[in-house]
Amino acid sequence: MPVDLGIAEKQRSTPFYRDEKGRAYSKTEGPNACEKCFLRELNGCSALQENELADYMHLSQSYTYSRRSNLFNQGEAALNCYIVTKGVARLYRLLSDGRRQIISFALPGDFLEFHQQEWFTASADAVTNVNICRFSKQELFQFIADKPHILNKFYSLVYEGLSQSHEQIMMLGCRSAEERVASFLLNLRERFKKIGYISITLPLVMSRQDIADFLGLTIETVSRTFTKLVKDRRIIIVPDGVRILDLPNLKNIAKGIKENVFY
Amino acid sequence: MPVDLGIAEKQRSTPFYRDEKGRAYSKTEGPNACEKCFLRELNGCSALQENELADYMHLSQSYTYSRRSNLFNQGEAALNCYIVTKGVARLYRLLSDGRRQIISFALPGDFLEFHQQEWFTASADAVTNVNICRFSKQELFQFIADKPHILNKFYSLVYEGLSQSHEQIMMLGCRSAEERVASFLLNLRERFKKIGYISITLPLVMSRQDIADFLGLTIETVSRTFTKLVKDRRIIIVPDGVRILDLPNLKNIAKGIKENVFY
DNA sequence: CGCGACTTTGAGCTATCTCAACAGCAGTGG
DNA sequence: CCACTGCTGTTGAGATAGCTCAAAGTCGCG
């Protein structure tokens, strides 16, 4: 089963439930088929030993959220944690006056809220149709309590997230609009590669507004910057994404190097 | 032993060594006196059980770095990890053209580089004279490999760091200069409180340039913003720090609320 | 007292924002 | 099949928060 970003689907057809907050979702009955999951090699689940898999499969349940729907909200009791298995989700925080900062885009294999804190510190919703594995936090952490090899793997993943956040801090703190957009495209490209999604077109499943709120820019600045990159022949814009024409130069822009420098 | 931010000391008197990179430091011979350490209640060490303490004490060694000296650099092999026990350090990343982004200020009790990655992803140096506990990463992670209660504690601490980083992303992505400075002061105040450092004056041991590089602003903008906060009677500037005059209003500014709002 | 490091203040500049118009496209309904 | 509507993205023109450069002030220290 290949990586699925949920690009094509615009509508959902499966029947859905609503939770106590009115969120629509659909659910796969019975335990998850972890042994067939293409993500097993990639993420925290890879730390599982064969004899642990059967129990683990019963811990999580598969859910589907449709495009634009909400997964959880900042401030709510954090009873569950999530792994994205298909599509893209956005993790964000809001200020009281409506300003939004997207903290990260979660791709297949990414963990959300794998902590033991009582409340969600951010909100998340589905950018495309999204499939997730949902765990009861309490059950999950009980399961791994005597399995340090798994906890260790989780630890590494959180640290990786921390490292990504530091990169993001660097980006927002000292990079220009053009550098931000270039970094964003390259980072996305790397992450797709890592999960085995390789294609000439770099799909941009999120809106310009999402990109703007991620990069700390306005939608107009993002648009103008894309236009500039197109004019300078670094990229071309295609339906649902971009194609990178001049990778080395884009990398230099992302690094903050103005002219062509080869090394 | 109370929290010591190393404010008063401008000079160091103890003899020092130099490591292979030419870094000056001094070292306490023999095992650390963890049983007397005031941080034991606060940080990761609090997860240690009585019978584990003796072994743990032999894992780390106490080092002193003088003001402005370097602890480690981005890109070097990450053989050690650190806990600040006195003073303040800055963790930062550099761009090739010299732009610097300070990722965090590490106060007593804060962990640095508690990961198992091969290389340092950031640099750190001493803002004041700094005491640290230094661990061999390999030895430390070997020690905790069969002690999930400690690993679990570390996990929580890393997640807390992640949460702080997300706050920082929010700050850099969508807050104005005044909001950033207000948030910075309040956040520092909270963190001092947490480690038991309570005083009328909020000490600012870092330079304006450090604050600017942390907040993604220039030194001039930081200075002007302080001046504005003084004029508006939110704070007063005193030697080595500020005093907060109007806490509720400062909190509103930090939240992005313009006028007096009580709730 | 004088030097150097740091901070504040001033004045003009610019990258990015704001506001507004318009273009493209999908869905809808007659 | 085509007007109509709503949503998203692009482009333009003017406004502005924060930046840059320059000068002056402050403070600790020899």
Side-chain angles (χ1 to χ4, degrees), chain A residues 125-145:
Chain A
D125 35 50
V127 173
T128 61
N129 288 352
V130 162
N131 288 4
I132 52 152
C133 282
R134 198 177 95 173
F135 296 81
S136 148
K137 238 170 50 176
Q138 205 204 328
E139 280 175 31
L140 182 69
F141 279 94
Q142 206 169 328
F143 176 75
I144 63 169

Side-chain angles (χ1 to χ4, degrees), chain B residues 189-235:
Chain B
R189 184 173 171 273
E190 276 310 302
R191 291 176 66 204
F192 282 149
K193 218 190 211 168
K194 216 181 239 174
I195 56 173
Y197 186 92
I198 294 160
S199 135
I200 312 169
T201 298
L202 181 63
L204 295 178
V205 296
M206 63 294 283
S207 69
R208 291 287 185 274
Q209 187 64 63
D210 285 340
I211 298 173
D213 287 352
F214 179 67
L215 297 179
L217 300 170
T218 57
I219 183 172
E220 294 94 334
T221 302
V222 171
S223 183
R224 276 185 251 272
T225 307
F226 271 115
T227 305
K228 178 166 190 306
L229 288 174
V230 170
K231 277 189 187 141
D232 295 348
R233 312 205 153 268
R234 313 292 186 222
I235 60 170

